[in-house]
Amino acid sequence: MREIILLNVTGKDHPGLTAALTGVLADHQVNILDVGQAVIHDHLSLGMLLEIPPQAQSGPVVKDLLFQAHQLGLQINFTPIDEDEYERWVGQQGKPRYIITLLGRKLSASMIAHVAQVVSRHGLNIDSITRLSGRFSLRSANPHRRACVEFTVRGETNDLSALRQDLLEISNQDEVDVAFQADDLYRRNRRLIVFDMDSTLIQVEVIDELAKAAGVGEAVAEITESAMRGEIDFNESFRRRMALLKGLDESVLQGIADNLPITEGAERLISNLKRLGYQVGILSGGFTYFASHLQKKLGVDFFSANALDIKNGKLTGEVKGEIVDGAKKAELMQDMALDLGISLEQVIAVGDGANDLPMLSLAGLGVAFHAKPLVRENARHSISTLGLDSILYLLGVRDREVK
């Protein structure tokens, strides 16, 4: 008669534990149906689902395991599993699987609890929780420290939109970001990332910086904010702001370009994605002069933005050619994916303004980064607590894998 036993082992970790225990099982020709191991703060938790072959008996197996565990200073428990119960468990495979990523400067028990409660309420089960961020010291005050855990969940839910909304509410009430995505092949096979520039790759709106130099800073900033909130059509707001810059001397451009504040994590993110073979682009409603500067500084592969019209060393208050608005960004992103021969599911788009929503909605992974409320509510993913390099966590990349 076939016997199935669930084995749970706990205790202080040290090299050779797993080898010793599985060596005992090998001596009895035991089959392992499932296995999982984790080490937290040098403390081992090992689980194995064992199939005792018909020609063997569980008694000698259990006896030898108990002896080995005692020698190793481990605690060991055995739970018999009914074969029908095992088959029911096997039958659960194939159900939809999802990844929930929890990101913040620190993670509290209440944050974990809130995610777990939402998952349970929607009929899903947590299969595993994995820390992606590195360890950090409690004695050092690092304002840029990162904390991230990834939940693998399984099951079927009647309303994915409601589930997403409930997870978004956690972000609204806690200082944490929660991302929800399908656990599929595309998540591990992205190939292109495109960024908005102003207030995404850099921490300013360049047009506002130009306006300050022209002495019309407050007027332009007011129009910019209204456009980013989606209150004014982007093209109309762009023309109004550009008109206020008429007559600005071309010489101020270089000084602004040299002092652009790069967003936290941008260089770390781009360098590591390039190492993984990604193509990196900038799609901006800003200006080619500054996008070109960032291309050289960050190693970006290509960019599209608005070309300033300059005559006799002065800005004319207009741009050359078609304005790069939200629709144009989405069109350019689709063209890039087509040129690379990849699906839009393999594209990551990152932006902060209402004019970024078209490309965020089309990309397989659209991330609203430190975005206005309107954009956060309409984007599938949002990051407001960490830097751009936290996007690596959404791809399942651990800190220890990052250079």
Side-chain angles (χ1 to χ4, degrees):
M1 178 179 176
R2 180 188 291 111
E3 291 183 83
I4 302 172
I5 297 175
L6 177 62
L7 171 70
N8 290 108
V9 181
T10 59
K12 188 169 177 59
D13 186 43
H14 58 81
L17 297 184
T18 305
L21 293 170
T22 53
V24 171
L25 296 174
D27 290 341
H28 290 276
Q29 298 182 321
V30 171
N31 297 320
I32 296 178
L33 302 174
D34 196 14
V35 61
Q37 178 174 311
V39 177
I40 298 178
H41 196 64
D42 295 331
H43 193 85
L44 170 75
S45 178
L46 169 64
M48 288 188 279
L49 194 59
L50 311 178
E51 180 195 12
I52 311 297
Q55 69 273 18
Q57 292 182 340
S58 60
V61 177
V62 169
K63 179 183 175 182
D64 289 351
L65 283 171
L66 283 169
F67 178 78
Q68 186 65 265
H70 177 74
Q71 294 289 102
L72 297 169
L74 300 173
Q75 292 75 51
I76 191 165
N77 290 298
F78 305 91
T79 305
I81 302 296
D82 180 78
E83 187 171 332
D84 289 340
E85 175 64 16
Y86 170 76
E87 292 298 330
R88 183 198 64 78
W89 176 73
V90 169
Q92 291 178 344
Q93 63 187 347
K95 287 189 176 181
R97 298 176 68 91
Y98 304 97
I99 297 293
I100 299 174
T101 313
L102 193 60
L103 315 97
R105 296 297 179 187
K106 62 180 180 180
L107 299 179
S108 68
S110 66
M111 295 171 185
I112 303 287
H114 290 157
V115 171
Q117 288 161 5
V118 169
V119 168
S120 176
R121 191 160 64 242
H122 286 271
L124 302 178
N125 185 70
I126 298 172
D127 281 346
S128 65
I129 304 176
T130 306
R131 174 173 55 85
L132 300 183
S133 53
R135 303 167 185 166
F136 55 77
S137 171
L138 297 176
R139 295 177 178 174
S140 63
N142 178 8
H144 299 302
R145 74 183 186 186
R146 299 173 296 271
C148 174
V149 292
E150 176 184 276
F151 299 75
T152 302
V153 302
R154 170 178 40 84
E156 296 176 344
T157 182
N158 294 327
D159 194 338
L160 279 177
S161 296
L163 173 57
R164 290 181 186 275
Q165 185 59 43
D166 287 350
L167 291 172
L168 179 62
E169 284 301 312
I170 297 174
S171 298
N172 293 334
Q173 66 190 45
D174 296 330
E175 293 182 12
V176 68
D177 293 313
V178 185
F180 176 84
Q181 54 186 314
D183 184 15
D184 58 22
L185 181 64
Y186 289 120
R187 176 175 180 259
R188 299 181 293 277
N189 196 32
R190 315 282 188 198
R191 286 294 174 265
L192 167 67
I193 185 167
V194 294
F195 296 94
D196 172 49
M197 182 172 67
D198 297 41
S199 295
T200 301
L201 272 181
I202 56 176
Q203 294 176 294
V204 294
E205 293 285 329
V206 169
I207 198 166
D208 291 347
E209 300 304 300
L210 293 172
K212 291 174 188 175
V216 292
E218 290 187 10
V220 167
E222 185 176 332
I223 299 171
T224 299
E225 281 296 309
S226 184
M228 297 301 283
R229 291 191 299 266
E231 297 169 352
I232 306 176
D233 171 74
F234 177 82
N235 286 9
E236 175 60 27
S237 70
F238 187 78
R239 292 189 185 94
R240 287 191 206 173
R241 287 176 290 172
M242 285 302 304
L244 292 171
L245 299 179
K246 184 177 181 179
L248 179 64
D249 198 281
E250 180 184 8
S251 62
V252 305
L253 302 183
Q254 185 63 51
I256 292 174
D258 289 341
N259 292 284
L260 291 176
I262 306 299
T263 298
E264 176 195 345
E267 291 163 301
R268 184 171 182 260
L269 172 63
I270 290 174
S271 64
N272 278 282
L273 290 183
K274 294 283 288 182
R275 185 167 63 92
L276 293 173
Y278 275 68
Q279 290 286 297
V280 180
I282 295 174
L283 297 179
S284 175
F287 307 108
T288 55
Y289 184 97
F290 303 96
S292 175
H293 178 85
L294 287 177
Q295 181 184 38
K296 296 170 186 173
K297 184 177 180 66
L298 298 176
V300 172
D301 295 298
F302 43 77
F303 65 84
S304 290
N306 298 296
L308 289 166
D309 186 46
I310 301 172
K311 292 182 179 177
N312 300 319
K314 304 284 185 181
L315 271 64
T316 66
E318 297 179 355
V319 293
K320 300 175 182 177
E322 183 181 356
I323 294 174
V324 179
D325 58 7
K328 187 64 177 178
K329 285 186 180 185
E331 178 187 330
L332 290 167
M333 183 184 72
Q334 291 178 87
D335 290 344
M336 290 174 184
L338 187 63
D339 288 344
L340 292 172
I342 62 173
S343 162
L344 284 173
E345 287 289 342
Q346 295 175 273
V347 179
I348 305 169
V350 190
D352 72 300
N355 63 317
D356 295 314
L357 280 172
M359 71 174 185
L360 297 185
S361 64
L362 284 175
L365 180 63
V367 180
F369 182 74
H370 290 254
K372 305 298 184 291
L374 171 70
V375 184
R376 288 186 62 205
E377 291 167 8
N378 286 278
R380 281 173 291 171
H381 307 282
S382 175
I383 293 176
S384 299
T385 60
L386 299 180
L388 278 171
D389 52 345
S390 59
I391 289 172
L392 292 168
Y393 293 140
L394 302 188
L395 306 178
V397 177
R398 293 172 169 83
D399 277 352
R400 67 171 183 263
E401 299 168 326
V402 172
K403 290 186 178 180

PDB file of all heavy atoms in Angstrom, residues 29-53:
ATOM      1  N   GLN A  29      14.889   4.533  -0.765  1.00  0.00           N
ATOM      2  CA  GLN A  29      14.299   4.675  -2.110  1.00  0.00           C
ATOM      3  C   GLN A  29      12.969   5.430  -2.081  1.00  0.00           C
ATOM      4  O   GLN A  29      12.015   5.096  -2.788  1.00  0.00           O
ATOM      5  CB  GLN A  29      14.111   3.292  -2.749  1.00  0.00           C
ATOM      6  CG  GLN A  29      15.420   2.539  -2.959  1.00  0.00           C
ATOM      7  CD  GLN A  29      15.223   1.205  -3.641  1.00  0.00           C
ATOM      8  OE1 GLN A  29      14.251   0.489  -3.365  1.00  0.00           O
ATOM      9  NE2 GLN A  29      16.134   0.861  -4.549  1.00  0.00           N
ATOM     10  N   VAL A  30      12.914   6.471  -1.247  1.00  0.00           N
ATOM     11  CA  VAL A  30      11.712   7.303  -1.127  1.00  0.00           C
ATOM     12  C   VAL A  30      11.644   8.291  -2.288  1.00  0.00           C
ATOM     13  O   VAL A  30      12.662   8.864  -2.697  1.00  0.00           O
ATOM     14  CB  VAL A  30      11.718   8.052   0.225  1.00  0.00           C
ATOM     15  CG1 VAL A  30      10.597   9.081   0.278  1.00  0.00           C
ATOM     16  CG2 VAL A  30      11.585   7.051   1.376  1.00  0.00           C
ATOM     17  N   ASN A  31      10.444   8.519  -2.820  1.00  0.00           N
ATOM     18  CA  ASN A  31      10.224   9.537  -3.850  1.00  0.00           C
ATOM     19  C   ASN A  31       9.771  10.839  -3.188  1.00  0.00           C
ATOM     20  O   ASN A  31       8.999  10.822  -2.230  1.00  0.00           O
ATOM     21  CB  ASN A  31       9.160   9.085  -4.846  1.00  0.00           C
ATOM     22  CG  ASN A  31       9.587   7.843  -5.598  1.00  0.00           C
ATOM     23  OD1 ASN A  31      10.746   7.704  -5.978  1.00  0.00           O
ATOM     24  ND2 ASN A  31       8.649   6.918  -5.793  1.00  0.00           N
ATOM     25  N   ILE A  32      10.236  11.966  -3.725  1.00  0.00           N
ATOM     26  CA  ILE A  32       9.845  13.282  -3.193  1.00  0.00           C
ATOM     27  C   ILE A  32       8.852  13.912  -4.163  1.00  0.00           C
ATOM     28  O   ILE A  32       9.188  14.210  -5.311  1.00  0.00           O
ATOM     29  CB  ILE A  32      11.079  14.182  -2.992  1.00  0.00           C
ATOM     30  CG1 ILE A  32      11.995  13.556  -1.934  1.00  0.00           C
ATOM     31  CG2 ILE A  32      10.646  15.582  -2.562  1.00  0.00           C
ATOM     32  CD1 ILE A  32      13.267  14.321  -1.673  1.00  0.00           C
ATOM     33  N   LEU A  33       7.620  14.101  -3.692  1.00  0.00           N
ATOM     34  CA  LEU A  33       6.545  14.651  -4.529  1.00  0.00           C
ATOM     35  C   LEU A  33       6.555  16.169  -4.558  1.00  0.00           C
ATOM     36  O   LEU A  33       6.097  16.786  -5.525  1.00  0.00           O
ATOM     37  CB  LEU A  33       5.189  14.146  -4.018  1.00  0.00           C
ATOM     38  CG  LEU A  33       5.012  12.624  -3.976  1.00  0.00           C
ATOM     39  CD1 LEU A  33       3.688  12.268  -3.311  1.00  0.00           C
ATOM     40  CD2 LEU A  33       5.095  12.030  -5.377  1.00  0.00           C
ATOM     41  N   ASP A  34       7.057  16.786  -3.499  1.00  0.00           N
ATOM     42  CA  ASP A  34       7.140  18.251  -3.436  1.00  0.00           C
ATOM     43  C   ASP A  34       8.187  18.602  -2.396  1.00  0.00           C
ATOM     44  O   ASP A  34       8.420  17.842  -1.434  1.00  0.00           O
ATOM     45  CB  ASP A  34       5.783  18.857  -3.060  1.00  0.00           C
ATOM     46  CG  ASP A  34       5.720  20.356  -3.361  1.00  0.00           C
ATOM     47  OD1 ASP A  34       6.604  20.851  -4.095  1.00  0.00           O
ATOM     48  OD2 ASP A  34       4.807  21.029  -2.857  1.00  0.00           O
ATOM     49  N   VAL A  35       8.821  19.734  -2.570  1.00  0.00           N
ATOM     50  CA  VAL A  35       9.851  20.154  -1.616  1.00  0.00           C
ATOM     51  C   VAL A  35       9.934  21.671  -1.601  1.00  0.00           C
ATOM     52  O   VAL A  35       9.753  22.338  -2.632  1.00  0.00           O
ATOM     53  CB  VAL A  35      11.226  19.528  -1.979  1.00  0.00           C
ATOM     54  CG1 VAL A  35      11.684  19.985  -3.364  1.00  0.00           C
ATOM     55  CG2 VAL A  35      12.281  19.864  -0.926  1.00  0.00           C
ATOM     56  N   GLY A  36      10.183  22.229  -0.428  1.00  0.00           N
ATOM     57  CA  GLY A  36      10.374  23.667  -0.286  1.00  0.00           C
ATOM     58  C   GLY A  36      11.252  23.939   0.912  1.00  0.00           C
ATOM     59  O   GLY A  36      11.148  23.259   1.939  1.00  0.00           O
ATOM     60  N   GLN A  37      12.151  24.922   0.774  1.00  0.00           N
ATOM     61  CA  GLN A  37      13.060  25.239   1.873  1.00  0.00           C
ATOM     62  C   GLN A  37      13.250  26.738   1.951  1.00  0.00           C
ATOM     63  O   GLN A  37      13.346  27.423   0.925  1.00  0.00           O
ATOM     64  CB  GLN A  37      14.419  24.551   1.662  1.00  0.00           C
ATOM     65  CG  GLN A  37      15.448  24.870   2.743  1.00  0.00           C
ATOM     66  CD  GLN A  37      16.730  24.065   2.573  1.00  0.00           C
ATOM     67  OE1 GLN A  37      16.693  22.848   2.402  1.00  0.00           O
ATOM     68  NE2 GLN A  37      17.876  24.739   2.622  1.00  0.00           N
ATOM     69  N   ALA A  38      13.311  27.264   3.181  1.00  0.00           N
ATOM     70  CA  ALA A  38      13.571  28.683   3.403  1.00  0.00           C
ATOM     71  C   ALA A  38      14.449  28.814   4.633  1.00  0.00           C
ATOM     72  O   ALA A  38      14.373  28.009   5.561  1.00  0.00           O
ATOM     73  CB  ALA A  38      12.271  29.448   3.589  1.00  0.00           C
ATOM     74  N   VAL A  39      15.287  29.855   4.621  1.00  0.00           N
ATOM     75  CA  VAL A  39      16.130  30.170   5.779  1.00  0.00           C
ATOM     76  C   VAL A  39      15.907  31.631   6.127  1.00  0.00           C
ATOM     77  O   VAL A  39      16.112  32.515   5.291  1.00  0.00           O
ATOM     78  CB  VAL A  39      17.621  29.906   5.485  1.00  0.00           C
ATOM     79  CG1 VAL A  39      18.473  30.318   6.693  1.00  0.00           C
ATOM     80  CG2 VAL A  39      17.854  28.442   5.149  1.00  0.00           C
ATOM     81  N   ILE A  40      15.444  31.882   7.352  1.00  0.00           N
ATOM     82  CA  ILE A  40      15.241  33.242   7.839  1.00  0.00           C
ATOM     83  C   ILE A  40      16.072  33.418   9.100  1.00  0.00           C
ATOM     84  O   ILE A  40      15.893  32.685  10.082  1.00  0.00           O
ATOM     85  CB  ILE A  40      13.753  33.520   8.130  1.00  0.00           C
ATOM     86  CG1 ILE A  40      12.921  33.381   6.844  1.00  0.00           C
ATOM     87  CG2 ILE A  40      13.570  34.920   8.718  1.00  0.00           C
ATOM     88  CD1 ILE A  40      11.435  33.580   7.038  1.00  0.00           C
ATOM     89  N   HIS A  41      16.980  34.383   9.078  1.00  0.00           N
ATOM     90  CA  HIS A  41      17.862  34.676  10.206  1.00  0.00           C
ATOM     91  C   HIS A  41      18.539  33.397  10.717  1.00  0.00           C
ATOM     92  O   HIS A  41      18.503  33.059  11.903  1.00  0.00           O
ATOM     93  CB  HIS A  41      17.088  35.371  11.331  1.00  0.00           C
ATOM     94  CG  HIS A  41      17.989  36.028  12.346  1.00  0.00           C
ATOM     95  ND1 HIS A  41      18.819  37.073  12.016  1.00  0.00           N
ATOM     96  CD2 HIS A  41      18.192  35.789  13.661  1.00  0.00           C
ATOM     97  CE1 HIS A  41      19.485  37.455  13.079  1.00  0.00           C
ATOM     98  NE2 HIS A  41      19.129  36.688  14.105  1.00  0.00           N
ATOM     99  N   ASP A  42      19.143  32.660   9.796  1.00  0.00           N
ATOM    100  CA  ASP A  42      19.881  31.420  10.092  1.00  0.00           C
ATOM    101  C   ASP A  42      18.999  30.315  10.672  1.00  0.00           C
ATOM    102  O   ASP A  42      19.511  29.376  11.295  1.00  0.00           O
ATOM    103  CB  ASP A  42      21.057  31.688  11.040  1.00  0.00           C
ATOM    104  CG  ASP A  42      22.119  32.571  10.409  1.00  0.00           C
ATOM    105  OD1 ASP A  42      22.254  32.510   9.163  1.00  0.00           O
ATOM    106  OD2 ASP A  42      22.796  33.312  11.134  1.00  0.00           O
ATOM    107  N   HIS A  43      17.690  30.394  10.471  1.00  0.00           N
ATOM    108  CA  HIS A  43      16.787  29.363  10.983  1.00  0.00           C
ATOM    109  C   HIS A  43      16.124  28.677   9.792  1.00  0.00           C
ATOM    110  O   HIS A  43      15.480  29.321   8.966  1.00  0.00           O
ATOM    111  CB  HIS A  43      15.722  29.965  11.903  1.00  0.00           C
ATOM    112  CG  HIS A  43      14.985  28.926  12.696  1.00  0.00           C
ATOM    113  ND1 HIS A  43      15.455  28.434  13.892  1.00  0.00           N
ATOM    114  CD2 HIS A  43      13.824  28.271  12.455  1.00  0.00           C
ATOM    115  CE1 HIS A  43      14.607  27.529  14.362  1.00  0.00           C
ATOM    116  NE2 HIS A  43      13.609  27.410  13.501  1.00  0.00           N
ATOM    117  N   LEU A  44      16.293  27.351   9.741  1.00  0.00           N
ATOM    118  CA  LEU A  44      15.828  26.556   8.605  1.00  0.00           C
ATOM    119  C   LEU A  44      14.374  26.127   8.768  1.00  0.00           C
ATOM    120  O   LEU A  44      13.943  25.750   9.859  1.00  0.00           O
ATOM    121  CB  LEU A  44      16.697  25.294   8.481  1.00  0.00           C
ATOM    122  CG  LEU A  44      16.232  24.214   7.495  1.00  0.00           C
ATOM    123  CD1 LEU A  44      16.509  24.647   6.065  1.00  0.00           C
ATOM    124  CD2 LEU A  44      16.899  22.870   7.797  1.00  0.00           C
ATOM    125  N   SER A  45      13.640  26.190   7.672  1.00  0.00           N
ATOM    126  CA  SER A  45      12.322  25.574   7.586  1.00  0.00           C
ATOM    127  C   SER A  45      12.282  24.781   6.288  1.00  0.00           C
ATOM    128  O   SER A  45      12.375  25.349   5.196  1.00  0.00           O
ATOM    129  CB  SER A  45      11.218  26.634   7.601  1.00  0.00           C
ATOM    130  OG  SER A  45       9.949  26.027   7.475  1.00  0.00           O
ATOM    131  N   LEU A  46      12.193  23.449   6.429  1.00  0.00           N
ATOM    132  CA  LEU A  46      12.247  22.563   5.266  1.00  0.00           C
ATOM    133  C   LEU A  46      11.012  21.670   5.250  1.00  0.00           C
ATOM    134  O   LEU A  46      10.663  21.070   6.275  1.00  0.00           O
ATOM    135  CB  LEU A  46      13.509  21.690   5.327  1.00  0.00           C
ATOM    136  CG  LEU A  46      13.622  20.512   4.336  1.00  0.00           C
ATOM    137  CD1 LEU A  46      13.675  21.020   2.895  1.00  0.00           C
ATOM    138  CD2 LEU A  46      14.841  19.661   4.659  1.00  0.00           C
ATOM    139  N   GLY A  47      10.336  21.616   4.122  1.00  0.00           N
ATOM    140  CA  GLY A  47       9.178  20.746   3.980  1.00  0.00           C
ATOM    141  C   GLY A  47       9.330  19.828   2.782  1.00  0.00           C
ATOM    142  O   GLY A  47       9.816  20.253   1.723  1.00  0.00           O
ATOM    143  N   MET A  48       8.963  18.569   2.948  1.00  0.00           N
ATOM    144  CA  MET A  48       8.994  17.611   1.838  1.00  0.00           C
ATOM    145  C   MET A  48       7.768  16.714   1.906  1.00  0.00           C
ATOM    146  O   MET A  48       7.364  16.287   2.990  1.00  0.00           O
ATOM    147  CB  MET A  48      10.259  16.751   1.891  1.00  0.00           C
ATOM    148  CG  MET A  48      11.528  17.485   1.521  1.00  0.00           C
ATOM    149  SD  MET A  48      12.972  16.373   1.375  1.00  0.00           S
ATOM    150  CE  MET A  48      13.415  16.212   3.109  1.00  0.00           C
ATOM    151  N   LEU A  49       7.168  16.472   0.752  1.00  0.00           N
ATOM    152  CA  LEU A  49       6.054  15.541   0.644  1.00  0.00           C
ATOM    153  C   LEU A  49       6.615  14.241   0.098  1.00  0.00           C
ATOM    154  O   LEU A  49       7.141  14.191  -1.026  1.00  0.00           O
ATOM    155  CB  LEU A  49       4.984  16.113  -0.282  1.00  0.00           C
ATOM    156  CG  LEU A  49       3.618  15.436  -0.265  1.00  0.00           C
ATOM    157  CD1 LEU A  49       3.001  15.459   1.132  1.00  0.00           C
ATOM    158  CD2 LEU A  49       2.678  16.112  -1.262  1.00  0.00           C
ATOM    159  N   LEU A  50       6.550  13.180   0.891  1.00  0.00           N
ATOM    160  CA  LEU A  50       7.240  11.935   0.594  1.00  0.00           C
ATOM    161  C   LEU A  50       6.268  10.847   0.141  1.00  0.00           C
ATOM    162  O   LEU A  50       5.183  10.690   0.718  1.00  0.00           O
ATOM    163  CB  LEU A  50       7.991  11.440   1.828  1.00  0.00           C
ATOM    164  CG  LEU A  50       8.865  12.462   2.557  1.00  0.00           C
ATOM    165  CD1 LEU A  50       9.490  11.810   3.783  1.00  0.00           C
ATOM    166  CD2 LEU A  50       9.933  13.020   1.626  1.00  0.00           C
ATOM    167  N   GLU A  51       6.679  10.084  -0.844  1.00  0.00           N
ATOM    168  CA  GLU A  51       5.956   8.879  -1.249  1.00  0.00           C
ATOM    169  C   GLU A  51       6.802   7.665  -0.859  1.00  0.00           C
ATOM    170  O   GLU A  51       7.898   7.467  -1.392  1.00  0.00           O
ATOM    171  CB  GLU A  51       5.691   8.868  -2.753  1.00  0.00           C
ATOM    172  CG  GLU A  51       4.942   7.618  -3.205  1.00  0.00           C
ATOM    173  CD  GLU A  51       4.978   7.409  -4.712  1.00  0.00           C
ATOM    174  OE1 GLU A  51       5.770   8.093  -5.411  1.00  0.00           O
ATOM    175  OE2 GLU A  51       4.237   6.543  -5.196  1.00  0.00           O
ATOM    176  N   ILE A  52       6.301   6.907   0.105  1.00  0.00           N
ATOM    177  CA  ILE A  52       6.997   5.700   0.519  1.00  0.00           C
ATOM    178  C   ILE A  52       6.651   4.593  -0.477  1.00  0.00           C
ATOM    179  O   ILE A  52       5.471   4.261  -0.655  1.00  0.00           O
ATOM    180  CB  ILE A  52       6.588   5.260   1.944  1.00  0.00           C
ATOM    181  CG1 ILE A  52       6.658   6.454   2.911  1.00  0.00           C
ATOM    182  CG2 ILE A  52       7.456   4.098   2.420  1.00  0.00           C
ATOM    183  CD1 ILE A  52       8.028   7.038   3.085  1.00  0.00           C
ATOM    184  N   PRO A  53       7.611   4.010  -1.161  1.00  0.00           N
ATOM    185  CA  PRO A  53       7.297   3.000  -2.193  1.00  0.00           C
ATOM    186  C   PRO A  53       6.662   1.757  -1.574  1.00  0.00           C
ATOM    187  O   PRO A  53       6.877   1.453  -0.394  1.00  0.00           O
ATOM    188  CB  PRO A  53       8.662   2.689  -2.800  1.00  0.00           C
ATOM    189  CG  PRO A  53       9.654   3.093  -1.774  1.00  0.00           C
ATOM    190  CD  PRO A  53       9.057   4.238  -1.029  1.00  0.00           C
TER     191      PRO A  53
END
